[in-house]
Amino acid sequence: MPAKRRVAHLAMLAGAVGIVILAYANVGLALEGSVPAGMLTYGAGLGGLVLIAYLVLAKWAPWADPLILPLVTLVNGLGLVMIYRIEEAGGNDASAATQLFWTAAGIVMFSGTLIALRDHRMLQRLTYTAGALGLLLLIAPLLPFIGHENFGARIWINIAGFTLQPAEFAKLALAIFFAGYLVAKRDVLALAGRRLLFIDLPRVRDLGPVLITWGISVGILVLQRDLGTSLLMFGLFVMMIYVATQRTSWVLIGLLLFVGGAAIAGMIFSHVGDRFDVWLDASNPIYYDRTFGGSAQLMGGLFGMGTGGILGTGLGQGHPNSIPLSFSDFIFAATGEELGLTGLMALLLVYGLIVQRGMRTALAARDPFSKLLAGGLSFVLAWQVFIIVGGVTRLIPLTGLVTPFMSQGGSALLANWILIALLVRMSDSARRPPPQAIQDEGLTQVFSR
């Protein structure tokens, strides 16, 4: 990596950490009228972790996209600030120290993935292994003894006192499986059958993979009561099959299958129908007063964002404790109250930039597997943000997903840092110049001295 580029990368990381420290100080000044006593500790902790990630990246992925790590650091840091603010407001389950620990673990996973995975193309040889692992992780919460139900959904496992959400890791394994499978089968899946109006429908014999994936996603929706994971997984598959085949008919078939399956499940199973009832009539007192699956949480988030208005109440000057689970599922709403619509748009812009850099990596990749995997992982991040933001704002039914890198919790944070490591590894491979060009550049630098 050229020296100027290393300096620019480090400067962007320092800028991201600086913004987080200033936001942390802002919260303390608003609450206590003084800078928080732990500001330097948290700032130094985050800065040290980011420095480690930078050094690993500079050593093992020197040609990677320089924007990805600073952007993710900024979002993760703002999540830490909001969790600290919620903790200070009386959120009994919110803990900035715990989230900093999980951030450290996430950066360790990021660094370990970059060091261990020197060539991401080896993952293509593990296509069916990744698929089997993804399915095992999805059904793990349904197993006796380790499966754990909370807030009406069975999406956790409990092992030796540690609670994990395996679906967060399943999305990575399934993205690898889909990429490897579709690279091998894309020519067959791209064959057209009958034509309906202006759309070339696929052959009936090729619908098997879509129907199987649809069946699994509906099973998750019914058995685990998890609309978010169901929607995330099926959306990922439909997107990747569209990218692989360039056929719009797959998207239309996927949408019809999922909407139809969800509608039928909503009529047969009460816990599925409850989600839609709350979405359609959130202010109804009958739904508002429900113990599980009620609309109190959703309405609290909407009132909070409405209170924030355009510019927000200011960091440390809102009432995030009035929003249930404001440190987790509804951290986006709590952020909207204090930073306003302007702050939320800026936050979504940062997410958009991360996704754009991932898609840019997919376009620059030199082999089909890398293109599909980079595109799929970027879509997973974008799709998850859309699902949670859409649910919190009542654009779509509320799901159990969390805001990437911001919400408190270990499973999502660890899985998303691994996702970023995979994107960084593929970016390094796509942007790395040929060996001769690197040698010529080195000779030029030597003679210029």
Side-chain angles (χ1 to χ4, degrees):
M1 181 189 293
K4 290 184 178 179
R5 186 177 172 188
R6 286 198 297 267
V7 172
H9 194 187
L10 195 57
M12 287 188 290
L13 285 170
V17 174
I19 292 173
V20 173
I21 292 175
L22 289 175
Y24 192 84
N26 197 347
V27 172
L29 289 170
L31 293 177
E32 305 291 342
S34 61
V35 174
M39 185 185 74
L40 294 180
T41 302
Y42 281 111
L46 180 62
L49 292 172
V50 171
L51 180 60
I52 292 172
Y54 165 78
L55 293 175
V56 171
L57 188 148
K59 173 67 176 178
W60 278 277
W63 297 97
D65 191 312
L67 286 177
I68 295 178
L69 185 57
L71 291 171
V72 173
T73 298
L74 178 60
V75 177
N76 198 157
L78 291 177
L80 281 167
V81 171
M82 283 305 303
I83 291 170
Y84 165 74
R85 189 271 172 275
I86 295 167
E87 181 182 11
E88 292 296 308
N92 295 329
D93 295 323
S95 173
T98 300
Q99 187 70 354
L100 185 60
F101 166 79
W102 285 118
T103 299
I107 290 178
V108 168
M109 297 295 288
F110 169 87
S111 303
T113 302
L114 284 182
I115 295 171
L117 188 65
R118 303 295 180 87
D119 186 357
H120 65 278
R121 290 170 295 185
M122 66 169 290
L123 296 174
Q124 189 172 2
R125 298 198 296 268
L126 304 174
T127 294
Y128 292 98
T129 302
L133 177 61
L135 289 178
L136 179 62
L137 289 171
L138 285 177
I139 66 174
L142 298 176
L143 299 177
F145 304 112
I146 64 171
H148 180 65
E149 182 173 328
N150 198 10
F151 297 109
R154 193 178 180 87
I155 57 177
W156 287 270
I157 59 173
N158 194 323
I159 301 177
F162 289 95
T163 302
L164 293 176
Q165 199 168 341
E168 293 290 343
F169 301 95
K171 67 186 180 186
L172 303 179
L174 291 175
I176 294 170
F177 167 70
F178 291 153
Y181 176 82
L182 292 173
V183 165
K185 302 294 184 181
R186 61 177 179 172
D187 292 336
V188 175
L189 294 171
L191 294 176
R194 296 182 178 182
R195 186 175 181 85
L196 179 63
L197 298 178
F198 57 91
I199 299 174
D200 291 323
L201 297 175
R203 300 182 305 176
V204 176
R205 71 184 72 172
D206 299 328
L207 289 175
V210 176
L211 293 176
I212 292 172
T213 309
W214 171 77
I216 294 172
S217 65
V218 173
I220 294 170
L221 175 62
V222 172
L223 298 177
Q224 297 184 0
R225 306 179 183 183
D226 187 3
L227 177 61
T229 300
S230 176
L231 184 58
L232 183 69
M233 188 189 74
F234 194 67
L236 169 64
F237 180 72
V238 171
M239 174 270 176
M240 293 184 74
I241 198 173
Y242 169 72
V243 171
T245 63
Q246 299 296 305
R247 289 204 174 278
T248 309
S249 55
W250 286 116
V251 178
L252 297 178
I253 291 172
L255 288 174
L256 290 174
L257 282 173
F258 189 84
V259 172
I264 294 173
M267 290 185 290
I268 298 176
F269 301 97
S270 60
H271 62 268
V272 178
D274 289 347
R275 294 277 187 175
F276 291 91
D277 291 338
V278 168
W279 173 52
L280 294 172
D281 193 10
S283 60
N284 191 321
I286 297 176
Y287 305 139
Y288 188 89
D289 295 329
R290 281 178 181 166
T291 304
F292 294 109
S295 62
Q297 184 184 32
L298 176 61
M299 293 299 293
L302 292 174
F303 280 127
M305 289 186 288
T307 302
I310 300 297
L311 298 177
T313 60
L315 281 172
Q317 301 183 58
H319 299 86
N321 54 329
S322 64
I323 304 173
L325 295 177
S326 57
F327 61 92
S328 180
D329 294 19
F330 272 69
I331 197 169
F332 187 82
T335 304
E337 180 184 9
E338 302 205 343
L339 296 184
L341 180 63
T342 304
L344 292 183
M345 291 298 102
L347 180 61
L348 291 176
L349 179 61
V350 175
Y351 278 121
L353 286 172
I354 298 172
V355 173
Q356 187 270 338
R357 304 312 291 186
M359 290 298 184
R360 186 184 180 97
T361 296
L363 291 174
R366 300 185 177 97
D367 62 282
F369 175 76
S370 300
K371 288 182 179 292
L372 270 179
L373 183 56
L377 293 176
S378 302
F379 176 81
V380 161
L381 184 60
W383 191 229
Q384 188 166 343
V385 172
F386 170 78
I387 291 173
I388 184 61
V389 172
V392 168
T393 57
R394 206 181 156 206
L395 177 65
I396 61 174
L398 186 64
T399 67
L401 297 181
V402 296
T403 309
F405 299 106
M406 289 194 70
S407 297
Q408 180 172 304
S411 304
L413 200 56
L414 292 178
N416 285 324
W417 271 107
I418 296 174
L419 183 153
I420 293 301
L422 293 174
L423 284 179
V424 166
R425 170 55 66 208
M426 288 183 283
S427 173
D428 176 72
S429 177
R431 296 164 66 95
R432 182 182 294 273
Q436 184 62 40
I438 297 176
Q439 183 179 0
D440 293 344
E441 181 181 351
L443 290 174
T444 302
Q445 291 179 352
V446 170
F447 286 118
S448 66
R449 294 173 184 172

